[in-house]
Tab-separated table of all heavy atoms in Angstrom:
chain	number	residue	atom	x	y	z
A	1	PRO	N	-6.787	28.671	-3.303
A	1	PRO	CA	-5.562	27.989	-3.661
A	1	PRO	C	-5.819	26.560	-4.061
A	1	PRO	O	-6.907	26.021	-3.847
A	1	PRO	CB	-4.763	28.033	-2.338
A	1	PRO	CG	-5.836	28.125	-1.279
A	1	PRO	CD	-6.955	28.908	-1.901
A	2	ALA	N	-4.793	25.945	-4.664
A	2	ALA	CA	-4.891	24.518	-5.047
A	2	ALA	C	-5.192	23.693	-3.781
A	2	ALA	O	-4.602	23.924	-2.721
A	2	ALA	CB	-3.621	24.083	-5.694
A	3	LEU	N	-6.082	22.715	-3.932
A	3	LEU	CA	-6.480	21.868	-2.805
A	3	LEU	C	-5.386	20.844	-2.533
A	3	LEU	O	-4.906	20.182	-3.444
A	3	LEU	CB	-7.777	21.217	-3.125
A	3	LEU	CG	-8.399	20.351	-1.990
A	3	LEU	CD1	-8.772	21.238	-0.829
A	3	LEU	CD2	-9.599	19.608	-2.545
A	4	SER	N	-4.987	20.740	-1.251
A	4	SER	CA	-4.002	19.708	-0.868
A	4	SER	C	-4.221	19.281	0.540
A	4	SER	O	-4.835	20.001	1.333
A	4	SER	CB	-2.569	20.255	-1.053
A	4	SER	OG	-2.339	21.365	-0.192
A	5	PHE	N	-3.755	18.092	0.890
A	5	PHE	CA	-3.885	17.524	2.198
A	5	PHE	C	-2.571	16.876	2.609
A	5	PHE	O	-1.819	16.376	1.790
A	5	PHE	CB	-4.985	16.437	2.229
A	5	PHE	CG	-6.366	17.002	2.051
A	5	PHE	CD1	-6.905	17.146	0.788
A	5	PHE	CD2	-7.122	17.375	3.145
A	5	PHE	CE1	-8.173	17.679	0.600
A	5	PHE	CE2	-8.413	17.860	2.985
A	5	PHE	CZ	-8.937	18.048	1.706
A	6	THR	N	-2.324	16.842	3.954
A	6	THR	CA	-1.280	16.011	4.439
A	6	THR	C	-1.570	14.545	4.239
A	6	THR	O	-2.748	14.183	4.050
A	6	THR	CB	-1.074	16.233	5.941
A	6	THR	OG1	-2.264	15.856	6.634
A	6	THR	CG2	-0.731	17.706	6.250
A	7	GLY	N	-0.575	13.710	4.284
A	7	GLY	CA	-0.840	12.265	4.357
A	7	GLY	C	-1.541	11.961	5.654
A	7	GLY	O	-1.518	12.760	6.598
A	8	PRO	N	-2.202	10.799	5.718
A	8	PRO	CA	-3.018	10.521	6.909
A	8	PRO	C	-2.211	10.368	8.182
A	8	PRO	O	-1.148	9.699	8.148
A	8	PRO	CB	-3.750	9.216	6.545
A	8	PRO	CG	-2.845	8.574	5.517
A	8	PRO	CD	-2.230	9.724	4.747
A	9	ARG	N	-2.684	10.958	9.288
A	9	ARG	CA	-2.171	10.682	10.595
A	9	ARG	C	-3.088	9.639	11.189
A	9	ARG	O	-4.275	9.886	11.345
A	9	ARG	CB	-2.137	11.954	11.431
A	9	ARG	CG	-1.539	11.797	12.829
A	9	ARG	CD	-1.528	13.093	13.561
A	9	ARG	NE	-0.665	14.040	12.883
A	9	ARG	CZ	-0.542	15.332	13.247
A	9	ARG	NH1	-1.275	15.797	14.252
A	9	ARG	NH2	0.218	16.161	12.595
A	10	ASN	N	-2.559	8.487	11.532
A	10	ASN	CA	-3.398	7.327	11.899
A	10	ASN	C	-3.478	7.121	13.406
A	10	ASN	O	-2.494	7.352	14.137
A	10	ASN	CB	-2.888	6.062	11.226
A	10	ASN	CG	-3.011	6.115	9.699
A	10	ASN	OD1	-4.053	6.512	9.189
A	10	ASN	ND2	-1.965	5.731	8.990
A	11	TYR	N	-4.648	6.653	13.854
A	11	TYR	CA	-4.905	6.371	15.255
A	11	TYR	C	-5.582	4.999	15.350
A	11	TYR	O	-6.470	4.695	14.553
A	11	TYR	CB	-5.817	7.401	15.893
A	11	TYR	CG	-5.214	8.821	15.833
A	11	TYR	CD1	-5.452	9.641	14.740
A	11	TYR	CD2	-4.448	9.290	16.849
A	11	TYR	CE1	-4.906	10.923	14.680
A	11	TYR	CE2	-3.888	10.589	16.830
A	11	TYR	CZ	-4.143	11.389	15.716
A	11	TYR	OH	-3.595	12.657	15.647
A	12	ALA	N	-5.135	4.178	16.319
A	12	ALA	CA	-5.751	2.866	16.469
A	12	ALA	C	-7.151	2.987	17.047
A	12	ALA	O	-7.400	3.756	17.964
A	12	ALA	CB	-4.897	2.006	17.387
A	13	THR	N	-8.084	2.188	16.462
A	13	THR	CA	-9.476	2.171	16.933
A	13	THR	C	-9.798	0.746	17.425
A	13	THR	O	-8.948	-0.131	17.412
A	13	THR	CB	-10.420	2.486	15.771
A	13	THR	OG1	-10.355	1.451	14.785
A	13	THR	CG2	-10.064	3.781	15.112
A	14	GLY	N	-11.061	0.540	17.804
A	14	GLY	CA	-11.550	-0.798	17.995
A	14	GLY	C	-11.551	-1.527	16.663
A	14	GLY	O	-11.454	-0.941	15.591
A	15	LEU	N	-11.704	-2.864	16.699
A	15	LEU	CA	-11.611	-3.657	15.503
A	15	LEU	C	-12.831	-3.398	14.606
A	15	LEU	O	-13.934	-3.335	15.081
A	15	LEU	CB	-11.514	-5.120	15.874
A	15	LEU	CG	-11.152	-6.108	14.767
A	15	LEU	CD1	-9.802	-5.774	14.125
A	15	LEU	CD2	-11.124	-7.529	15.305
A	16	THR	N	-12.586	-3.277	13.292
A	16	THR	CA	-13.543	-2.999	12.248
A	16	THR	C	-14.431	-1.794	12.542
A	16	THR	O	-15.612	-1.885	12.739
A	16	THR	CB	-14.485	-4.259	11.978
A	16	THR	OG1	-15.111	-4.655	13.226
A	16	THR	CG2	-13.694	-5.402	11.424
A	17	PRO	N	-13.791	-0.631	12.522
A	17	PRO	CA	-14.585	0.621	12.684
A	17	PRO	C	-15.418	0.902	11.449
A	17	PRO	O	-14.898	0.949	10.333
A	17	PRO	CB	-13.503	1.705	12.890
A	17	PRO	CG	-12.347	1.147	12.138
A	17	PRO	CD	-12.365	-0.344	12.321
A	18	GLN	N	-16.711	1.063	11.649
A	18	GLN	CA	-17.637	1.167	10.528
A	18	GLN	C	-17.969	2.595	10.145
A	18	GLN	O	-18.418	2.844	9.031
A	18	GLN	CB	-18.923	0.428	10.858
A	18	GLN	CG	-18.765	-1.059	11.074
A	18	GLN	CD	-18.057	-1.765	9.918
A	18	GLN	OE1	-18.581	-1.880	8.838
A	18	GLN	NE2	-16.845	-2.215	10.162
A	19	SER	N	-17.863	3.530	11.076
A	19	SER	CA	-18.186	4.922	10.726
A	19	SER	C	-17.461	5.872	11.656
A	19	SER	O	-16.913	5.474	12.675
A	19	SER	CB	-19.708	5.148	10.831
A	19	SER	OG	-20.175	5.050	12.149
A	20	VAL	N	-17.461	7.139	11.260
A	20	VAL	CA	-16.768	8.162	12.078
A	20	VAL	C	-17.708	9.414	12.090
A	20	VAL	O	-18.398	9.712	11.111
A	20	VAL	CB	-15.405	8.508	11.469
A	20	VAL	CG1	-15.519	8.967	10.026
A	20	VAL	CG2	-14.697	9.568	12.298
A	21	ALA	N	-17.746	10.048	13.249
A	21	ALA	CA	-18.544	11.249	13.398
A	21	ALA	C	-17.707	12.318	14.066
A	21	ALA	O	-16.733	12.001	14.825
A	21	ALA	CB	-19.823	10.971	14.217
A	22	ILE	N	-18.039	13.588	13.863
A	22	ILE	CA	-17.285	14.731	14.344
A	22	ILE	C	-18.189	15.587	15.263
A	22	ILE	O	-19.323	15.889	14.844
A	22	ILE	CB	-16.742	15.573	13.168
A	22	ILE	CG1	-15.774	14.738	12.323
A	22	ILE	CG2	-16.030	16.822	13.690
A	22	ILE	CD1	-15.287	15.444	11.100
A	23	GLY	N	-17.710	15.991	16.424
A	23	GLY	CA	-18.406	16.882	17.322
A	23	GLY	C	-17.587	17.215	18.535
A	23	GLY	O	-16.637	16.484	18.858
A	24	ASP	N	-17.875	18.340	19.184
A	24	ASP	CA	-17.141	18.754	20.356
A	24	ASP	C	-17.697	18.012	21.581
A	24	ASP	O	-18.677	18.433	22.200
A	24	ASP	CB	-17.269	20.256	20.550
A	24	ASP	CG	-16.501	20.754	21.775
A	24	ASP	OD1	-15.779	19.965	22.403
A	24	ASP	OD2	-16.665	21.950	22.105
A	25	LEU	N	-17.049	16.922	21.943
A	25	LEU	CA	-17.596	16.019	22.958
A	25	LEU	C	-17.176	16.386	24.391
A	25	LEU	O	-17.793	15.910	25.327
A	25	LEU	CB	-17.153	14.568	22.665
A	25	LEU	CG	-17.709	14.014	21.322
A	25	LEU	CD1	-17.081	12.671	21.033
A	25	LEU	CD2	-19.222	13.895	21.389
A	26	ASN	N	-16.163	17.255	24.557
A	26	ASN	CA	-15.775	17.599	25.934
A	26	ASN	C	-15.891	19.108	26.185
A	26	ASN	O	-15.419	19.602	27.210
A	26	ASN	CB	-14.354	17.130	26.250
A	26	ASN	CG	-13.306	17.759	25.323
A	26	ASN	OD1	-13.651	18.408	24.311
A	26	ASN	ND2	-12.042	17.601	25.664
A	27	GLY	N	-16.533	19.833	25.280
A	27	GLY	CA	-16.873	21.233	25.527
A	27	GLY	C	-15.702	22.183	25.536
A	27	GLY	O	-15.814	23.291	26.124
A	28	ASP	N	-14.598	21.859	24.888
A	28	ASP	CA	-13.450	22.755	24.868
A	28	ASP	C	-13.351	23.604	23.579
A	28	ASP	O	-12.360	24.311	23.343
A	28	ASP	CB	-12.152	21.971	25.092
A	28	ASP	CG	-11.857	20.999	23.957
A	28	ASP	OD1	-12.677	20.872	23.044
A	28	ASP	OD2	-10.744	20.376	23.986
A	29	GLY	N	-14.385	23.484	22.780
A	29	GLY	CA	-14.401	24.262	21.547
A	29	GLY	C	-13.661	23.660	20.385
A	29	GLY	O	-13.636	24.250	19.298
A	30	LYS	N	-13.093	22.474	20.578
A	30	LYS	CA	-12.390	21.810	19.497
A	30	LYS	C	-13.150	20.528	19.087
A	30	LYS	O	-13.552	19.761	19.987
A	30	LYS	CB	-10.956	21.440	19.948
A	30	LYS	CG	-10.087	22.643	20.266
A	30	LYS	CD	-8.658	22.269	20.491
A	30	LYS	CE	-8.419	21.481	21.778
A	30	LYS	NZ	-8.449	22.314	22.974
A	31	PRO	N	-13.338	20.312	17.811
A	31	PRO	CA	-14.084	19.103	17.381
A	31	PRO	C	-13.323	17.822	17.656
A	31	PRO	O	-12.133	17.721	17.325
A	31	PRO	CB	-14.297	19.326	15.874
A	31	PRO	CG	-13.215	20.283	15.494
A	31	PRO	CD	-12.934	21.155	16.650
A	32	ASP	N	-14.029	16.870	18.206
A	32	ASP	CA	-13.461	15.559	18.521
A	32	ASP	C	-14.006	14.527	17.528
A	32	ASP	O	-14.858	14.844	16.686
A	32	ASP	CB	-13.824	15.147	19.950
A	32	ASP	CG	-13.475	16.280	20.933
A	32	ASP	OD1	-12.279	16.646	20.961
A	32	ASP	OD2	-14.367	16.751	21.663
A	33	LEU	N	-13.526	13.286	17.611
A	33	LEU	CA	-13.894	12.228	16.680
A	33	LEU	C	-14.446	11.063	17.465
A	33	LEU	O	-13.969	10.762	18.583
A	33	LEU	CB	-12.692	11.782	15.868
A	33	LEU	CG	-12.035	12.905	15.014
A	33	LEU	CD1	-10.744	12.345	14.395
A	33	LEU	CD2	-13.004	13.316	13.888
A	34	ALA	N	-15.419	10.336	16.896
A	34	ALA	CA	-15.934	9.121	17.487
A	34	ALA	C	-16.121	8.069	16.423
A	34	ALA	O	-16.577	8.373	15.319
A	34	ALA	CB	-17.280	9.366	18.201
A	35	THR	N	-15.708	6.839	16.702
A	35	THR	CA	-15.852	5.729	15.803
A	35	THR	C	-16.565	4.588	16.479
A	35	THR	O	-16.562	4.533	17.718
A	35	THR	CB	-14.485	5.230	15.250
A	35	THR	OG1	-13.735	4.667	16.379
A	35	THR	CG2	-13.665	6.368	14.660
A	36	ALA	N	-17.129	3.698	15.658
A	36	ALA	CA	-17.844	2.547	16.210
A	36	ALA	C	-17.145	1.261	15.713
A	36	ALA	O	-16.822	1.142	14.542
A	36	ALA	CB	-19.293	2.546	15.751
A	37	SER	N	-16.933	0.314	16.631
A	37	SER	CA	-16.295	-0.957	16.302
A	37	SER	C	-17.329	-2.069	16.240
A	37	SER	O	-17.890	-2.469	17.263
A	37	SER	CB	-15.233	-1.291	17.378
A	37	SER	OG	-14.848	-2.671	17.281
A	38	VAL	N	-17.548	-2.586	15.051
A	38	VAL	CA	-18.544	-3.661	14.856
A	38	VAL	C	-18.164	-4.909	15.664
A	38	VAL	O	-19.006	-5.482	16.349
A	38	VAL	CB	-18.670	-4.009	13.368
A	38	VAL	CG1	-19.491	-5.252	13.208
A	38	VAL	CG2	-19.320	-2.884	12.608
A	39	THR	N	-16.926	-5.327	15.581
A	39	THR	CA	-16.508	-6.603	16.171
A	39	THR	C	-16.534	-6.531	17.698
A	39	THR	O	-16.967	-7.468	18.359
A	39	THR	CB	-15.149	-6.999	15.663
A	39	THR	OG1	-15.172	-7.109	14.232
A	39	THR	CG2	-14.712	-8.361	16.220
A	40	TRP	N	-16.039	-5.457	18.227
A	40	TRP	CA	-15.926	-5.341	19.698
A	40	TRP	C	-17.217	-4.816	20.375
A	40	TRP	O	-17.379	-4.951	21.566
A	40	TRP	CB	-14.794	-4.439	20.091
A	40	TRP	CG	-13.407	-5.019	19.792
A	40	TRP	CD1	-13.151	-6.259	19.310
A	40	TRP	CD2	-12.143	-4.399	19.973
A	40	TRP	NE1	-11.805	-6.449	19.152
A	40	TRP	CE2	-11.139	-5.309	19.545
A	40	TRP	CE3	-11.764	-3.119	20.405
A	40	TRP	CZ2	-9.808	-4.977	19.627
A	40	TRP	CZ3	-10.395	-2.818	20.454
A	40	TRP	CH2	-9.463	-3.764	20.067
A	41	GLY	N	-18.127	-4.246	19.597
A	41	GLY	CA	-19.329	-3.671	20.202
A	41	GLY	C	-19.000	-2.491	21.111
A	41	GLY	O	-19.493	-2.407	22.229
A	42	THR	N	-18.157	-1.585	20.615
A	42	THR	CA	-17.732	-0.424	21.401
A	42	THR	C	-17.710	0.807	20.542
A	42	THR	O	-17.693	0.740	19.296
A	42	THR	CB	-16.318	-0.638	21.964
A	42	THR	OG1	-15.406	-0.878	20.901
A	42	THR	CG2	-16.287	-1.817	22.946
A	43	VAL	N	-17.651	1.952	21.219
A	43	VAL	CA	-17.315	3.235	20.527
A	43	VAL	C	-16.018	3.735	21.120
A	43	VAL	O	-15.729	3.568	22.294
A	43	VAL	CB	-18.428	4.270	20.686
A	43	VAL	CG1	-19.681	3.861	19.957
A	43	VAL	CG2	-18.719	4.607	22.140
A	44	SER	N	-15.199	4.322	20.238
A	44	SER	CA	-13.930	4.924	20.646
A	44	SER	C	-14.040	6.436	20.409
A	44	SER	O	-14.498	6.884	19.350
A	44	SER	CB	-12.781	4.389	19.800
A	44	SER	OG	-12.603	3.004	19.985
A	45	VAL	N	-13.646	7.214	21.417
A	45	VAL	CA	-13.676	8.666	21.336
A	45	VAL	C	-12.257	9.184	21.331
A	45	VAL	O	-11.438	8.759	22.123
A	45	VAL	CB	-14.463	9.266	22.523
A	45	VAL	CG1	-14.268	10.767	22.598
A	45	VAL	CG2	-15.959	8.941	22.375
A	46	PHE	N	-12.004	10.094	20.425
A	46	PHE	CA	-10.674	10.710	20.280
A	46	PHE	C	-10.817	12.190	20.537
A	46	PHE	O	-11.413	12.919	19.739
A	46	PHE	CB	-10.113	10.448	18.858
A	46	PHE	CG	-9.910	8.983	18.562
A	46	PHE	CD1	-10.962	8.195	18.154
A	46	PHE	CD2	-8.661	8.405	18.732
A	46	PHE	CE1	-10.794	6.862	17.905
A	46	PHE	CE2	-8.493	7.062	18.463
A	46	PHE	CZ	-9.539	6.296	18.053
A	47	LEU	N	-10.262	12.667	21.655
A	47	LEU	CA	-10.357	14.056	22.018
A	47	LEU	C	-9.254	14.819	21.350
A	47	LEU	O	-8.106	14.425	21.287
A	47	LEU	CB	-10.274	14.206	23.541
A	47	LEU	CG	-11.437	13.586	24.326
A	47	LEU	CD1	-11.225	13.802	25.815
A	47	LEU	CD2	-12.803	14.124	23.901
A	48	ASN	N	-9.648	16.053	20.861
A	48	ASN	CA	-8.727	16.906	20.096
A	48	ASN	C	-7.771	17.605	21.033
A	48	ASN	O	-8.204	18.342	21.933
A	48	ASN	CB	-9.585	17.887	19.303
A	48	ASN	CG	-8.831	18.571	18.197
A	48	ASN	OD1	-7.598	18.836	18.310
A	48	ASN	ND2	-9.533	18.900	17.137
């Protein structure tokens, strides 16, 4: 079928997130997201 996407659903991260990675971080079979914040020196994890 024709390719289409929803508009973005946004989530707040640490300041200046430089990259995003995908993986099942809590073992529930659903892929989660992780970002890195340059300014704060932190990683943020978003569980699915």
Side-chain angles (χ1 to χ4, degrees):
L3 185 64
S4 62
F5 292 88
T6 61
R9 182 178 297 173
N10 294 315
Y11 300 88
T13 67
L15 191 60
T16 56
Q18 298 305 293
S19 68
V20 58
I22 298 175
D24 180 7
L25 296 172
N26 62 348
D28 65 355
K30 298 189 290 284
D32 308 304
L33 301 171
T35 66
S37 165
V38 170
T39 302
W40 290 356
T42 57
V43 294
S44 299
V45 168
F46 297 82
L47 296 180
N48 196 327

